[in-house]
PDB file of all heavy atoms in Angstrom:
ATOM      1  N   GLU O 260      13.493  -9.650 -19.953  1.00 87.00           N
ATOM      2  CA  GLU O 260      14.842 -10.146 -20.239  1.00 87.00           C
ATOM      3  C   GLU O 260      15.045 -11.552 -19.685  1.00 87.00           C
ATOM      4  O   GLU O 260      15.817 -12.344 -20.219  1.00 87.00           O
ATOM      5  CB  GLU O 260      15.882  -9.200 -19.636  1.00 87.00           C
ATOM      6  CG  GLU O 260      16.001  -7.867 -20.358  1.00 87.00           C
ATOM      7  CD  GLU O 260      16.915  -6.902 -19.621  1.00 87.00           C
ATOM      8  OE1 GLU O 260      17.481  -7.311 -18.584  1.00 87.00           O
ATOM      9  OE2 GLU O 260      17.056  -5.751 -20.070  1.00 87.00           O
ATOM     10  N   GLU O 261      14.349 -11.877 -18.606  1.00 87.00           N
ATOM     11  CA  GLU O 261      14.464 -13.200 -18.007  1.00 87.00           C
ATOM     12  C   GLU O 261      13.531 -14.212 -18.658  1.00 87.00           C
ATOM     13  O   GLU O 261      13.534 -15.391 -18.297  1.00 87.00           O
ATOM     14  CB  GLU O 261      14.137 -13.128 -16.517  1.00 87.00           C
ATOM     15  CG  GLU O 261      15.065 -12.240 -15.724  1.00 87.00           C
ATOM     16  CD  GLU O 261      14.703 -12.243 -14.251  1.00 87.00           C
ATOM     17  OE1 GLU O 261      14.122 -13.242 -13.790  1.00 87.00           O
ATOM     18  OE2 GLU O 261      15.004 -11.268 -13.566  1.00 87.00           O
ATOM     19  N   GLY O 262      12.700 -13.745 -19.585  1.00 88.00           N
ATOM     20  CA  GLY O 262      11.736 -14.636 -20.206  1.00 88.00           C
ATOM     21  C   GLY O 262      10.507 -14.865 -19.361  1.00 88.00           C
ATOM     22  O   GLY O 262       9.774 -15.844 -19.559  1.00 88.00           O
ATOM     23  N   LEU O 263      10.257 -13.963 -18.396  1.00 90.00           N
ATOM     24  CA  LEU O 263       9.098 -14.091 -17.517  1.00 90.00           C
ATOM     25  C   LEU O 263       7.911 -13.326 -18.095  1.00 90.00           C
ATOM     26  O   LEU O 263       8.071 -12.286 -18.722  1.00 90.00           O
ATOM     27  CB  LEU O 263       9.437 -13.573 -16.117  1.00 90.00           C
ATOM     28  CG  LEU O 263      10.564 -14.331 -15.409  1.00 90.00           C
ATOM     29  CD1 LEU O 263      10.927 -13.659 -14.102  1.00 90.00           C
ATOM     30  CD2 LEU O 263      10.162 -15.786 -15.162  1.00 90.00           C
ATOM     31  N   GLU O 264       6.722 -13.835 -17.828  1.00 84.00           N
ATOM     32  CA  GLU O 264       5.518 -13.303 -18.451  1.00 84.00           C
ATOM     33  C   GLU O 264       5.038 -12.029 -17.756  1.00 84.00           C
ATOM     34  O   GLU O 264       4.857 -11.999 -16.530  1.00 84.00           O
ATOM     35  CB  GLU O 264       4.408 -14.349 -18.420  1.00 84.00           C
ATOM     36  CG  GLU O 264       3.122 -13.898 -19.094  1.00 84.00           C
ATOM     37  CD  GLU O 264       2.044 -14.953 -19.026  1.00 84.00           C
ATOM     38  OE1 GLU O 264       2.294 -16.023 -18.449  1.00 84.00           O
ATOM     39  OE2 GLU O 264       0.956 -14.695 -19.563  1.00 84.00           O
ATOM     40  N   VAL O 265       4.822 -10.989 -18.541  1.00 88.00           N
ATOM     41  CA  VAL O 265       4.221  -9.745 -18.071  1.00 88.00           C
ATOM     42  C   VAL O 265       3.150  -9.370 -19.087  1.00 88.00           C
ATOM     43  O   VAL O 265       3.455  -8.956 -20.200  1.00 88.00           O
ATOM     44  CB  VAL O 265       5.252  -8.607 -17.944  1.00 88.00           C
ATOM     45  CG1 VAL O 265       4.577  -7.355 -17.394  1.00 88.00           C
ATOM     46  CG2 VAL O 265       6.418  -9.022 -17.068  1.00 88.00           C
ATOM     47  N   GLN O 266       1.892  -9.514 -18.726  1.00 83.00           N
ATOM     48  CA  GLN O 266       0.816  -9.280 -19.690  1.00 83.00           C
ATOM     49  C   GLN O 266       0.669  -7.795 -20.017  1.00 83.00           C
ATOM     50  O   GLN O 266       0.756  -7.391 -21.166  1.00 83.00           O
ATOM     51  CB  GLN O 266      -0.497  -9.842 -19.136  1.00 83.00           C
ATOM     52  CG  GLN O 266      -0.484 -11.353 -18.976  1.00 83.00           C
ATOM     53  CD  GLN O 266      -1.765 -11.876 -18.360  1.00 83.00           C
ATOM     54  OE1 GLN O 266      -2.674 -11.114 -18.019  1.00 83.00           O
ATOM     55  NE2 GLN O 266      -1.848 -13.185 -18.195  1.00 83.00           N
ATOM     56  N   ASN O 267       0.427  -6.985 -19.007  1.00 90.00           N
ATOM     57  CA  ASN O 267       0.268  -5.541 -19.208  1.00 90.00           C
ATOM     58  C   ASN O 267       0.581  -4.856 -17.891  1.00 90.00           C
ATOM     59  O   ASN O 267      -0.257  -4.824 -16.988  1.00 90.00           O
ATOM     60  CB  ASN O 267      -1.151  -5.211 -19.675  1.00 90.00           C
ATOM     61  CG  ASN O 267      -1.347  -3.732 -19.959  1.00 90.00           C
ATOM     62  OD1 ASN O 267      -0.416  -2.938 -19.821  1.00 90.00           O
ATOM     63  ND2 ASN O 267      -2.552  -3.347 -20.341  1.00 90.00           N
ATOM     64  N   ILE O 268       1.770  -4.315 -17.774  1.00 91.00           N
ATOM     65  CA  ILE O 268       2.240  -3.766 -16.511  1.00 91.00           C
ATOM     66  C   ILE O 268       1.409  -2.573 -16.046  1.00 91.00           C
ATOM     67  O   ILE O 268       1.386  -2.239 -14.863  1.00 91.00           O
ATOM     68  CB  ILE O 268       3.732  -3.362 -16.624  1.00 91.00           C
ATOM     69  CG1 ILE O 268       4.358  -3.110 -15.244  1.00 91.00           C
ATOM     70  CG2 ILE O 268       3.892  -2.154 -17.543  1.00 91.00           C
ATOM     71  CD1 ILE O 268       4.583  -4.315 -14.435  1.00 91.00           C
ATOM     72  N   SER O 269       0.684  -1.924 -16.955  1.00 88.00           N
ATOM     73  CA  SER O 269      -0.109  -0.747 -16.596  1.00 88.00           C
ATOM     74  C   SER O 269      -1.509  -1.108 -16.099  1.00 88.00           C
ATOM     75  O   SER O 269      -2.191  -0.263 -15.535  1.00 88.00           O
ATOM     76  CB  SER O 269      -0.219   0.199 -17.797  1.00 88.00           C
ATOM     77  OG  SER O 269       1.057   0.637 -18.207  1.00 88.00           O
TER      78      SER O 269
END
Side-chain angles (χ1 to χ4, degrees):
E260 288 173 3
E261 298 181 26
L263 299 174
E264 182 181 1
V265 182
Q266 295 177 359
N267 183 1
I268 194 72
S269 300

